[in-house]
Amino acid sequence: MNVVKREKNFAGKMTLAAHPLKCYNCFFSWIRFSFVDLLGFQMITREAPVLRDASGRTDPLAVPYLVFGGVGRAGVMAVQSLLYAVLLPFRSRQRAEWIKQMYTAGIRSLPLISIVAMFTGMILALQVGLEMRRYNQEVYIGSAVMVTLLREMGPFMTGIVLTACVGSSMAAQIGAMTVNEEIAALEIMSINPIRFLMAPRMGAMVLMTPVLSFYTCVVGVIGGGVVGKTQLNVDWGQYIKLAMDFADLRDLYVGLFKALIFGIIVTAVSCYEGFTTKQGAVGVGKATRHSVITSMLLILIIGYIITRLFY
Amino acid sequence: MIKFENVTKNLGGRAVLDDLSFEIEKGEVFVIVGPSGMGKSVTLKHIVRLMAPDSGRIWIGDDEISGLEGSALERARERFGMLFQSGALLGWMPVWENVALPLREKTKMGEDEIADRVQRVLELVGLENDGDKFPSEISGGMQKRAGLARAIVRQPEIVLYDEPTSGLDPMTSRNIDRLIRKLSDQLGVTSVVVSHDLQGSLLIADRIAMLKNGKFIEISPPKQFVASEQPDVRGFLDAQFIPRSGVIGMR
Ligand SMILES: Nc1ncnc2c1ncn2[C@@H]1O[C@H](COP(=O)(O)OP(=O)(O)OP(=O)(O)O)[C@@H](O)[C@H]1O
Ligand SMILES: [Mg+2]
């Protein structure tokens, strides 16, 4: 029944030119159907999408895959899961899963993030301070540490840590589910794996990466201050004052935006690798490794591009 | 109800399904047997479009499932329940939650109603006391029965069983067989069963089909099947000590 209805709409679209008056109607119904289908199952997780299948039907969402390969397919998944993630707060059962994922991504990686952030700030302060001491300018380490962290190191370190401790486990878990036919079982139950598994993870990462990135900056600045105080004889109050003076809101926004993009990248790459896992336990290992490598490279490259765009 | 039209599928450089055509009636119990690695699971996966054919069409009622996408495919799949060869339960949920999942996600049932239904289905498969265990804490046979419970909990029109009784003890196997038959007789469920266990299949099948080299070399009701003169079928029957006269209680 519904299938017939849908075909009628596509047929309607084709006769657009012949009936200008019906244009609007058809156009809107076409948009609606494209939107609905963007949220539906386009892909059998175990098989690559094809533009035209055996019965001659076309799948427009296969185009990104055919043009850009895995990147295109991961991109489609990312968009779908982001759209679903918007709906997360309104669905009680999904909300629970979302909160669980936020806990996994945010709270569980806190210890590691704290240490990494602390030492990043300390190393920055030390290196910059030693150099600046030659000109007796070591009081300015505060501003140097602050700006570097906000613009670059905060989001970057967050991205790397989340790749290592969240992305890898995401890829492994979803990969194991794929190999074990659990993903296929979800699809049979008409439960879209992208909505059910990927959206809560995406929603969690999109929220947690900016928060963690901000946290990294704060801890890093504190770490820098400690080094300044103990190694370089920079007064704490002066350090903070100079740091705050040079802290630009724009730097903060760009940094947080970068972190957000990194969160999307890590989730999309990890889930894509998980969903396309093949060949048993070896495949799960491979998916995990690929997800870490790809995420790290993308974080470096996309990070550079964003910096280039904004500065 | 289910119709294959000249379906061909190549996997690993081999035609696993080779111009396969057949039809399954509504309410029928259709058993597919055949040597390991011959494409029985692949056939089932085509029925629910976990795999798409390289050429040919597959019809479920009036829907051509091999050509559906997006929301239409989602709706078509709601007519199915499937038991996977491995059980395929979600590892982070207890058995009870696993069975409740299709009801929670795809129906508007209240919690009481869900609890009631889940409990009843778990009793059917003999797992009423193991609901709060995790899949990793129960045996392979129990996982399979839990998978079966999940497949039938939403009372689908068509249920696909991939080796429902392999790895189970003979008593439980017979109970599962009886359950499959009962679903078909009382609720008109169409069942497609992949099985190695011919003894059990003879008791429940309306028709048995043997898959070999991408084709069904024999499709017939149990009585004719046991009397078949096809060498491959005979070999299969002889290996399980089933004489030409069949077994007691055969349909
Ligand atoms: N996703 C896949 N990719 C490549 N080849 C596959 C895939 N799935 C199945 N095959 C191949 O298709 C053939 C049939 O596999 P299938 O799982 O259907 O066998 P089966 O008849 O169910 O065997 P068994 O009784 O052991 O379960 C095998 O040779 C297998 O290697
Ligand atoms: Mg099989």
Side-chain angles (χ1 to χ4, degrees), chain A residues 246-275:
Chain A
F246 278 80
D248 187 2
L249 262 189
R250 180 154 172 280
D251 288 345
L252 177 67
Y253 291 150
V254 174
L256 293 188
F257 173 70
K258 218 183 249 179
L260 174 85
I261 298 293
F262 290 168
I264 296 176
I265 289 174
V266 172
T267 319
V269 168
S270 306
C271 290
Y272 168 76
E273 287 292 341
F275 283 132

Side-chain angles (χ1 to χ4, degrees), chain A residues 6 33 36-37 40-42, chain B residues 69-76:
Chain A
R6 192 183 141 201
F33 273 91
V36 166
D37 279 349
F41 301 128
Q42 285 68 43
Chain B
E69 284 294 345
S71 37
L73 177 60
E74 194 165 339
R75 273 192 302 276

Side-chain angles (χ1 to χ4, degrees), chain B residues 37 39-42 85 162-163 194 196:
Chain B
K40 303 185 296 295
S41 299
V42 168
Q85 200 162 353
D162 200 343
E163 307 196 1
V194 166
H196 287 296

Side-chain angles (χ1 to χ4, degrees), chain B residues 221-241:
Chain B
K223 290 222 168 68
Q224 276 105 300
F225 191 85
V226 291
S228 167
E229 291 305 331
Q230 286 262 15
D232 286 317
V233 179
R234 277 265 57 91
F236 209 78
L237 288 164
D238 290 344
Q240 299 196 24
F241 308 109

